[in-house]
Amino acid sequence: MRHLLSTRDLDRATAIEILDVAEDMADVQQRAVRKLPTLRGRTVVNLFFEDSTRTRISFEAAAKRLSADVINFSAKGSSVSKGESLKDTAQTLAAIGADAVVIRHPASGAPQVLAQSAWIEAGIVNAGDGTHEHPTQGLLDAFTIRRRIHGDAARGRDLDGIRVTIVGDILHSRVARSNVWLLSSLGAEVHLVAPATLMPVGVGSWPATRGYDLDEALATKPDVVMMLRVQAERMSAAFFPTAREYSRYWGLDDRRFAMLGAGSMVMHPGPMNRGLEISSRAADSAKSTVLEQVANGVSVRMAVLYLVLSGEKGETP
Ligand code: NCD
């Protein structure tokens, strides 16, 4: 794999291969020494033009557990115009010998620009670009679902017939987009629920069904309920009247949480707005996969960095 830019262009076989390598990485995480020498001598740069907690530390942990050298570059607040600053930054990273660049950027398509440019040869991993995609989040979510459902027998399996309901701020969510593409390629049935103002135009062409009533969606007892953060920082206008009203109609509150089926799971990519899109009871329950998602994120990112970096210079670690 040369780059990882989106899940939209991942076919089922490739997606399963990444998840299977992540299973191997997860096994390594169970050992007393959680480190592999695989990427020794390789340099991974975390280039973050947007805030992040878990994604950045997760990529850092993943790279370090594969023995790569990691450079964290937080470019937030740069006043240089975006195209230019990206070019200059990329050329700088190329000059210091970056083998892989993990990039988060507020502009949709920025990782693609880097991957297609002549500025840098490194493998590019998209860690979230604007409202476009967040492929490693989609992969870690698929990994988490597959593990919860199939346990130790997860390797090689897809998500055929698993019903996933994604709820909330779909409009601004790259997590929702990456999940829609990936989960549907893996055979899951994806249903989207949002207020009409937060449902993207063009969603009709996505491989997902949609609805506007959360109670109705939960009454069908989906296997997975994925709550999205209300991304206030991406909202230039008012998309709903008040937080209270949002939570009443679109939040996974205690009453709705009680409606969920016994074997169902509650997901959230984090950071959570507790009390807005999800109640603490739901977030901290045994159905919640929130911390599993974080832990699995490290294994999935190890797999992605390994696959992007291993073939590149013709060495087999
Ligand atoms: C997501 C993101 O940044 O897109 N967070 C994450 O990576 N865990 C979702 C969000 O910010 O709501």
Side-chain angles (χ1 to χ4, degrees):
M1 188 162 63
R2 176 83 175 88
H3 306 290
L4 177 67
L5 303 175
S6 74
T7 59
R8 191 173 187 164
D9 50 26
L10 284 184
D11 57 39
R12 185 182 296 219
T14 311
I16 290 175
E17 186 200 342
I18 298 171
L19 300 184
D20 288 351
V21 174
E23 285 287 347
D24 296 340
M25 297 302 180
D27 288 346
V28 174
Q29 301 308 299
Q30 299 304 314
R31 298 187 198 157
V33 177
R34 294 197 273 203
K35 203 156 167 158
L36 293 172
T38 314
L39 297 182
R40 202 158 50 201
R42 298 314 204 58
T43 300
V44 175
V45 176
N46 282 327
L47 181 60
F48 277 63
F49 291 85
E50 241 188 35
D51 292 336
S52 172
T53 306
R54 62 218 93 219
T55 304
R56 197 189 58 70
I57 61 176
S58 180
F59 269 109
E60 182 171 355
K64 285 182 169 161
R65 285 180 196 171
L66 292 169
S67 305
D69 294 320
V70 185
I71 297 171
N72 288 313
F73 180 71
S74 170
K76 199 176 174 261
S78 157
S79 58
V80 196
S81 88
K82 279 180 187 141
E84 225 175 323
S85 82
L86 200 54
K87 178 177 178 181
D88 287 338
T89 310
Q91 287 176 329
T92 304
L93 300 181
I96 63 159
D99 296 298
V101 176
V102 175
I103 178 174
R104 168 168 287 198
H105 200 283
S108 299
Q112 182 100 30
V113 169
L114 272 196
Q116 287 171 350
S117 76
W119 309 328
I120 186 163
E121 279 293 297
I124 307 297
V125 178
N126 181 1
D129 60 331
T131 59
H132 174 233
E133 279 228 29
H134 191 354
T136 57
Q137 181 72 43
L139 286 162
L140 76 88
D141 290 338
F143 182 89
T144 302
I145 297 170
R146 195 175 77 152
R147 264 207 153 184
R148 269 247 174 161
I149 289 175
H150 298 299
D152 288 342
R155 274 189 184 77
R157 315 232 9 189
D158 58 23
L159 299 179
D160 242 347
I162 306 296
R163 292 182 305 122
V164 182
T165 296
I166 304 180
V167 185
D169 185 0
I170 314 265
L171 180 65
H172 301 103
S173 181
R174 52 198 179 202
V175 173
R177 286 171 181 76
S178 284
N179 269 297
V180 165
W181 303 119
L182 180 65
L183 299 179
S184 63
S185 331
L186 288 171
E189 294 165 26
V190 184
H191 184 62
L192 306 173
V193 180
T197 48
L198 291 174
M199 192 68 92
V201 177
V203 80
S205 65
W206 296 10
T209 52
R210 62 190 185 280
Y212 301 92
D213 185 318
L214 183 52
D215 287 319
E216 203 175 278
L218 296 183
T220 69
K221 306 275 180 214
D223 301 298
V224 179
V225 179
M226 184 182 295
M227 303 307 297
L228 299 172
R229 184 173 66 89
V230 173
Q231 302 200 21
E233 80 280 13
R234 297 191 203 280
M235 297 185 188
S236 47
F239 286 86
F240 49 87
T242 61
R244 196 153 140 196
E245 187 157 322
Y246 184 89
S247 146
R248 194 177 136 129
Y249 287 99
W250 313 107
L252 186 62
D253 57 14
D254 293 352
R255 178 185 66 80
R256 293 197 175 101
F257 176 64
M259 291 170 64
L260 301 183
S264 63
M265 63 192 101
V266 173
M267 309 186 78
H268 193 300
M272 293 185 278
N273 294 305
R274 286 173 183 259
L276 182 57
E277 72 264 0
I278 191 167
S279 73
S280 277
R281 177 169 302 172
D284 300 332
S285 72
K287 288 191 168 75
S288 166
T289 61
V290 171
L291 293 175
E292 269 162 63
Q293 287 169 268
V294 176
N296 291 338
V298 177
S299 305
V300 165
R301 289 171 177 127
M302 286 173 78
V304 167
L305 289 173
Y306 167 73
L307 290 168
V308 165
L309 284 168
S310 58
E312 205 191 0
K313 285 178 184 163
E315 298 162 20
T316 317

